[in-house]
Amino acid sequence: MIIDRLYEEIKDKGNVCVGLDTHMDYIPEEMKSKYKKLEEIIFQYNKRIIDCTSDITAIYKLQIAYYESYGIEGLKAYKRTLEYLRKIGSLSIGDVKRGDISATADMYAKAHFEGDFETDFITINPYMGFDSITPYLKYLEDGKKGIFVLLRTSNEGAKDIEYLEAEGKPVYYHVGDKLEEMGKKYMGKSGYSSIGAVVGGTHQDEAVEIRDRYKNMFFLIPGYGAQGARGEDVGKYLNGLNGGIVNSSRGIIKAYMKYNDGVEKFDQYTREAVLNMREDIGYEG
């Protein structure tokens, strides 16, 4: 199953998920001058990051908004990046946060689990109701796809809805309990389900409680680095340094910008950012 594959990738490469939230402002001028066409510039930038980190990165996450913002050319780069990751055998997450129902959700599932935008995992927003999740489940049946469902997110506004009390527990626990029940049908040999959850790393006060409550749920953990979460914070969501991936975007893909010789040593500084993050989380492979 796809979740078992991710589990093994983490054992071999660590917990880092590199977020390819690519913005033209992050790309060296020499690459812009060399390739000129927007699609090619974005793709080549992504490819360079992937090529110097793929042996130490468990999975890559593409936030689709960054590509949609550049129109058709951006989406072509999104497509090519996903294709390249498949070609070299790396796993990918399409961070699309879809949250609609019925036939619309069916079409979203088709768009991101088949065709041009096919990826291994996608993110889903459940706060419209659980019928916003069920249309995706048919793609999990053969074990080749997985989903990460928003549970308790890393933004300040999470308190507006996710933390509200209902029947003696916060709304995010109602969501998590339901996901845990749904996930039993899609359990892998690793002991985790292909229905995982997005749990923000910036709210560490509840980390141990959440991990203890959902022992067989795999977590996608945003919030590290630029959003303030540290290695010791996100580590609380892991089970013996597995059971979760920790995403960092700007901290890795902009790492070269911190140095005077960053353009010349782009690969070195990008790779060092991943290695430093792995060490900070506690990976010793």
Side-chain angles (χ1 to χ4, degrees), residues 78-79 81-83 85-86 92-94 109-122 139 144-145:
Y78 180 84
K79 170 182 180 290
T81 302
L82 291 172
E83 289 175 341
L85 288 168
R86 278 198 299 277
S92 61
I93 302 170
K110 180 178 175 64
H112 296 285
F113 279 148
E114 300 181 39
D116 288 346
F117 302 145
E118 181 182 358
T119 186
D120 298 303
F121 295 85
I122 60 172
Y139 290 95
K144 295 180 180 179
K145 302 296 180 186

Side-chain angles (χ1 to χ4, degrees), residues 14-153:
N15 304 85
V16 175
C17 170
V18 173
L20 295 172
D21 296 358
T22 303
H23 192 290
M24 288 294 285
D25 289 351
Y26 306 163
I27 301 176
E29 288 301 323
E30 65 173 27
M31 292 188 72
K32 296 177 185 178
S33 299
K34 179 178 180 180
Y35 297 108
K36 295 184 174 61
K37 189 177 179 182
L38 191 145
E39 172 198 339
E40 194 68 27
I41 293 169
I42 295 174
F43 171 70
Q44 291 295 338
Y45 177 72
N46 287 350
K47 181 177 182 295
R48 190 167 179 184
I49 292 168
I50 293 164
D51 286 346
C52 67
T53 61
S54 61
D55 63 318
I56 53 173
T57 297
I59 194 167
Y60 294 84
K61 181 173 75 68
L62 284 72
Q63 169 48 258
I64 198 170
Y66 283 83
Y67 301 87
E68 290 176 336
S69 71
Y70 293 111
I72 297 300
E73 293 298 305
L75 287 173
K76 286 180 180 178
Y78 180 84
K79 170 182 180 290
R80 287 181 65 187
T81 302
L82 291 172
E83 289 175 341
Y84 184 69
L85 288 168
R86 278 198 299 277
K87 179 182 177 181
I88 67 171
S90 289
L91 292 170
S92 61
I93 302 170
D95 193 357
V96 299
K97 295 185 178 72
R98 297 304 189 238
D100 218 319
I101 58 171
S102 190
T104 306
D106 277 331
M107 292 300 99
Y108 278 138
K110 180 178 175 64
H112 296 285
F113 279 148
E114 300 181 39
D116 288 346
F117 302 145
E118 181 182 358
T119 186
D120 298 303
F121 295 85
I122 60 172
T123 55
I124 296 176
N125 187 340
Y127 287 97
M128 193 172 174
F130 289 102
D131 52 352
S132 64
I133 298 175
T134 51
Y136 298 88
L137 299 183
K138 63 185 178 183
Y139 290 95
L140 276 61
E141 296 288 344
D142 63 2
K144 295 180 180 179
K145 302 296 180 186
I147 57 176
F148 287 107
V149 183
L150 301 185
L151 179 59
R152 203 229 31 215
T153 55

Side-chain angles (χ1 to χ4, degrees), residues 1-12 58-59 91 120-121 142-146 148 186-195 216 218 242-243:
M1 293 183 71
I2 195 69
I3 198 64
D4 294 329
R5 186 178 163 200
L6 178 54
Y7 181 87
E8 292 300 322
E9 288 289 290
I10 289 171
K11 286 172 61 178
D12 293 339
I59 194 167
L91 292 170
D120 298 303
F121 295 85
D142 63 2
K144 295 180 180 179
K145 302 296 180 186
F148 287 107
Y186 309 100
M187 297 297 295
K189 294 179 181 178
S190 59
Y192 294 98
S193 170
S194 292
I195 297 180
N216 301 115
F218 208 97
N242 213 312

Side-chain angles (χ1 to χ4, degrees), residues 173-184:
Y173 274 157
H174 286 277
V175 172
D177 292 352
K178 180 66 174 178
L179 292 178
E180 184 176 47
E181 185 60 33
M182 294 172 68
K184 291 178 180 178

